[in-house]
Amino acid sequence: MFSARRIVFSVLLFETLAIVIALALGYLQGNIETPFKEGGLITWISFFQLLLIAGLSWKVFTLHNGVLNRRGWRSPQMVWAIIAVGFVYLAFDELTLIHETLDKFIHNLFVVRETALTDRLDDIIVGFYGLVGIGILYYYREALKKYVEVFPFLISGFVFLFVMVGFDIVGNRYDPFLTMTENISLRAMLHAGLSVAEDLFKMLSEGMFLVAFYRCCQMASEQKAAQQELSGVGIRSR
């Protein structure tokens, strides 16, 4: 079993290497933003990280026996299955851009002409995902009390997520840079910088969630082993 400190170090090292490699590839390709665009290197790394988080959460669910009691979806252990499904959705959203499809659907549904404000709906939807996640964790807060050790990582993950959304909203279009400078090259540099910062915070957010759920998986395994040991002692003492 790895210590929490070692897990954090390993994840942050991986995130740093991923960003450095992406920057190097962008430099070699003549456009620093290329690896950070949809479908680029960072998208695929993010996809696999989100799937890994989903797998860890599902593992915790199975360690809690993976069954529901009469309370159904309100069962305490159900939170882990919901989280697993949620991260699978986020992983495929990362590849297929579901949130951007929702953006276009809302424009068509309400017959709204796209403006600088409404064009940022897809970014706001990502922020909404974060709020839904917080709501789910709050609803199942009693089931999570035994995992209080990971709360700092979860909080950091959500903070980084909302910072990412902020960068995404600002860098969605070039219009914020038009009033800053008339230098076209500088505008492009600022936009590229925001794109890199956005993906940096996305990676950090996912990294913190990865640490949190890996540690939850460790703790659930330890709790399961302790329960089995107690059961074995109880059987032998009869």
Side-chain angles (χ1 to χ4, degrees):
M1 291 286 186
F2 296 112
S3 66
R5 183 177 297 180
R6 188 171 179 182
I7 300 165
V8 172
F9 175 78
S10 299
V11 168
L12 291 180
L13 178 62
F14 173 77
E15 308 287 351
T16 302
L17 286 174
I19 293 294
V20 170
I21 290 171
L23 288 170
L25 287 174
Y27 177 78
L28 292 173
Q29 293 170 354
N31 185 348
I32 204 169
E33 288 186 81
T34 301
F36 298 91
K37 289 180 178 178
E38 306 297 350
L41 173 65
I42 297 300
T43 295
W44 282 101
I45 293 175
S46 177
F47 170 74
F48 287 114
Q49 284 194 147
L50 291 167
L51 280 186
L52 181 55
I53 295 168
L56 289 169
S57 186
W58 186 259
K59 178 64 175 177
V60 177
F61 176 64
T62 60
L63 287 168
H64 283 287
N65 297 324
V67 295
L68 305 180
N69 59 29
R70 288 178 298 176
R71 297 176 64 189
W73 63 270
R74 290 175 294 180
S75 303
Q77 65 267 32
M78 190 62 181
V79 64
W80 303 106
I82 292 172
I83 292 171
V85 171
F87 274 102
V88 168
Y89 169 84
L90 291 175
F92 284 96
D93 187 356
E94 187 72 12
L95 285 186
T96 61
L97 305 178
I98 298 171
H99 60 284
E100 291 196 5
T101 303
L102 288 173
D103 176 355
K104 293 179 174 62
F105 174 75
I106 292 170
H107 277 90
N108 294 331
L109 180 64
F110 295 101
V111 196
V112 176
R113 184 174 63 86
E114 190 174 281
T115 64
L117 179 61
T118 64
D119 189 32
R120 292 176 164 87
L121 271 176
D122 56 327
D123 308 321
I124 295 170
I125 288 170
V126 174
F128 178 71
Y129 290 166
L131 294 177
V132 170
I134 291 172
I136 290 170
L137 295 180
Y138 180 77
Y139 182 84
Y140 289 98
R141 59 192 180 280
E142 290 299 320
L144 299 172
K145 281 185 176 178
K146 64 178 70 174
Y147 298 98
V148 68
E149 176 189 320
V150 307
F151 283 11
F153 300 120
L154 290 175
I155 292 169
S156 299
F158 281 111
V159 169
F160 290 142
L161 169 65
F162 291 120
V163 171
M164 178 207 75
V165 171
F167 278 124
D168 201 9
I169 289 172
V170 174
N172 183 285
R173 294 160 63 109
Y174 271 89
D175 49 305
F177 311 114
L178 297 179
T179 56
M180 292 183 185
T181 177
E182 294 182 359
N183 188 312
I184 296 175
S185 297
L186 182 56
R187 289 176 190 167
M189 287 177 60
L190 289 171
H191 187 268
L194 277 178
S195 295
V196 173
E198 174 199 335
D199 276 345
L200 171 62
F201 279 97
K202 177 171 71 175
M203 297 282 282
L204 287 172
S205 175
E206 293 171 2
M208 290 299 100
F209 288 134
L210 186 55
V211 171
F213 289 108
Y214 182 84
R215 184 61 187 134
C216 285
C217 196
Q218 281 186 325
M219 294 170 73
S221 297
E222 291 164 2
Q223 293 161 16
K224 184 79 170 180
Q227 288 172 359
Q228 289 174 340
E229 185 176 341
L230 285 173
S231 298
V233 169
I235 291 170
R236 288 194 298 272
S237 64
R238 289 178 184 175

